[in-house]
Amino acid sequence: MQWVNRSTKSSNNLLLLPFYSVLKKNIMYNKGLFSDWVPKPVQLLIIVLLLAVAMPLGGVYTGNISFMVGSTGQLTEYFMWANYATTIGMGACMPVVLRIKMRFKVRDKVVLLLVLLALLSYVNGTTTEPAIIIASALVIGFLKMMITIELFLPLMMLMSNRGIFYSVFYTFVLVVNQVSSYYAVEISILYNWQQFFIIASIECLIMALICWVFMHDKYFAMKVPLHYIDWLSILLFVSTFMFSAYVFSFGKQQDWLNSSKIINASVAAFLSFALLSIRQTTLKRPYLSFKIFTKSNVQNGLIMLLFLGMYLGTTSVQNIFSVGVLGYDQLTNAKLNVMMIPGLIVSGIVAIFWFKKEKAIRMYIFSGFASMLGYAIIMYFSMVPEFGFERWYLPMFLKGYGMGSLFIAVWYYTLDKLELDDMLAAIGLVLVWRTFLAVGIFSAIFSWFQYQFQIESLGNLAVYLDGMTLTSQNLPANLKSLQINAILSANKRLFGYITLTGFGVLLYILTHHFGREKFRYPRFVRLINGKSVIARKRLREKNKLAQELQDASGSTL
């Protein structure tokens, strides 16, 4: 009898073994972020707060670069380099972010990252050494991408549609960036530029405390080792684009190819990328994958992102006009970026309805580039010293709508139908291409042409100058007027060339297939052979169905 009870007990244990394994798995792993007792609305609120704190973080903030230059006495180019370094750090993290995500517990990782970001922000707010700020900006970009990926998955599961997720996420992030840039300028004016870094550091510490209380201490999935990460490839990736960033930042100041430093940096960037590409062919688990760049949507998406960079690069030309000609101070100039927020919000709302209705993406992308073209046309006709502040509303609305719609739609199209492994292995390059290379290339080009056009304009105006028009009494006023007219002429020419290019971009968008087949053979056959083709096709389908029914009936009998 005892033997029967013992055997029955052991059999019950065997039956319960699968339930024990499931329970153990639930105890060890949790694909969410928060503990079970945290209400869903509170979880969403914490995610939004984390995004609002983490996404605007950077080594520098474009709004207060002028204050940093005046306080430290360093060149503006150093802080432009630091601004690019944040994006490069984000791109370097992307290929390994999923492995890092699965290696550590969620709460431990997020809290530690927030504390490190707080420390780096404090360092940037207390140092005057550009090299420290540049290195800190690079690490900030690398760390904040680890936090951002933690927030992607819950939001994507909540929205269940990748297009709607991009619509909400990019609209929120772009709006938060504009608001943070404005307050960076305002706080720098009221106090000093260091205070905004200190405030960002305090925000990170507060969020670290909140995450420690509300997040769970479990792994996301099975723990994976970190020794598979190829740190040499990461170093080559960083060196490639940091040398490129040096070229884009210091090119004008060093007179481009007339400087040995620019030539050496260009050669170093090329060699680093060559070594990076060669190394990927020898690794069992490569850091980067170039396979997706053979796909049509990725190639055309990169072209569209390059055109987007052309329009975003006009910010430098716009700042020359607003500050150099109209005489705006830094706070008034920062308000221009805030004017883009209504356009950003409208683009997000339109995108949500567009993806919900599952409409073709071509016309939405067309509307984005058309808005950017409208902005360029308005600025072309607005290059006058009498341009009023209220006249900025329409062009900045169009620029905001174009930026939001193109960030959403072009990114969606570029990464469409890609496998997760291939996408993660190459998204770092695409991210750096979109946010750094495309914008940096056109910003450098516009800066060079703007300077050359000014010199040419001054030479043309010098024909009408002589001792009768330039006397000792009116010389200062006339020289200032000449300089302003030269700036206006140079800006007008630049926006004119951008406008002409913009019409070509719209033609390219209208003629691109966006994943649809340009030529369908079955439709052509029907057109040539008439209804007989359709009749034969229906007869074959009918015979096939009858055969399947016959086989099914036979097997049933």
Side-chain angles (χ1 to χ4, degrees), residues 64 67 125 184 187-198:
N64 61 7
F67 301 101
I187 292 173
S188 299
I189 292 175
L190 294 176
Y191 305 99
N192 52 56
W193 62 270
Q194 291 96 335
Q195 292 300 317
F196 193 77
F197 287 99
I198 303 301

Side-chain angles (χ1 to χ4, degrees), residues 108-378:
D108 298 344
K109 180 177 64 176
V110 173
V111 171
L112 178 61
L113 290 173
L114 287 170
V115 172
L116 291 176
L117 288 172
L119 178 62
L120 292 171
S121 295
Y122 179 80
V123 168
N124 284 354
T126 54
T127 186
T128 58
E129 184 61 39
I132 296 177
I133 295 176
I134 293 168
S136 175
L138 180 68
V139 179
I140 285 176
F142 194 91
L143 297 180
K144 84 171 188 176
M145 182 52 69
M146 296 184 197
I147 295 180
T148 306
I149 199 66
E150 296 289 345
L151 309 177
F152 277 175
L153 296 178
L155 291 176
M156 290 190 73
M157 291 176 62
L158 179 65
M159 298 175 190
S160 70
N161 184 298
R162 191 166 64 92
I164 295 177
F165 166 72
Y166 285 162
S167 305
V168 176
F169 177 78
Y170 276 118
T171 301
F172 177 80
V173 169
L174 291 173
V175 169
V176 168
N177 284 337
Q178 306 309 319
V179 173
S180 65
S181 297
Y182 172 78
Y183 280 107
V185 176
E186 187 172 26
I187 292 173
S188 299
I189 292 175
L190 294 176
Y191 305 99
N192 52 56
W193 62 270
Q194 291 96 335
Q195 292 300 317
F196 193 77
F197 287 99
I198 303 301
I199 292 173
S201 178
I202 294 173
E203 289 177 346
C204 289
L205 293 176
I206 293 174
M207 290 307 304
L209 180 60
I210 293 174
C211 292
W212 179 264
V213 173
F214 291 98
M215 284 186 171
H216 63 73
D217 60 345
K218 301 178 180 62
Y219 289 98
F220 173 79
M222 182 178 296
K223 187 169 68 172
V224 296
L226 291 182
H227 62 265
Y228 291 127
I229 297 176
D230 185 48
W231 297 104
L232 179 57
S233 294
I234 296 179
L235 180 62
L236 291 172
F237 181 96
V238 170
S239 64
T240 297
F241 294 107
M242 287 299 288
F243 281 122
S244 302
Y246 177 85
V247 173
F248 295 149
S249 301
F250 286 88
K252 181 180 178 181
Q253 190 263 344
Q254 296 283 338
D255 197 16
W256 296 104
L257 296 180
N258 292 321
S259 169
S260 59
K261 293 182 179 179
I262 297 298
I263 295 176
N264 294 336
S266 302
V267 173
F270 176 78
L271 291 177
S272 298
F273 186 74
L275 292 174
L276 176 65
S277 303
I278 293 171
R279 182 165 179 79
Q280 304 317 300
T281 61
T282 62
L283 294 175
K284 182 179 180 181
R285 298 177 180 85
Y287 168 72
L288 291 177
S289 173
F290 300 97
K291 185 166 59 175
I292 70 168
F293 295 102
T294 61
K295 297 182 179 295
S296 174
N297 62 307
V298 177
Q299 295 171 355
N300 288 278
L302 293 177
I303 294 174
M304 294 178 204
L305 291 175
L306 184 65
F307 291 142
L308 173 61
M310 177 187 70
Y311 286 114
L312 296 181
T314 59
T315 301
S316 59
V317 184
Q318 176 187 305
N319 290 337
I320 292 173
F321 174 60
S322 60
V323 178
V325 177
L326 302 180
Y328 291 168
D329 58 17
Q330 294 298 325
L331 187 61
T332 305
N333 194 47
K335 291 179 180 178
L336 299 181
N337 292 330
V338 178
M339 290 182 182
M340 292 193 296
I341 292 179
L344 292 170
I345 295 174
V346 171
S347 68
I349 295 173
V350 172
I352 290 173
F353 285 102
W354 205 281
F355 287 111
K356 186 176 291 186
K357 297 292 184 180
E358 297 182 352
K359 294 184 178 181
I361 203 172
R362 171 190 286 140
M363 295 312 298
Y364 183 62
I365 295 179
F366 181 87
S367 70
F369 279 112
S371 297
M372 285 296 196
L373 177 61
Y375 160 77
I377 292 174
I378 293 175

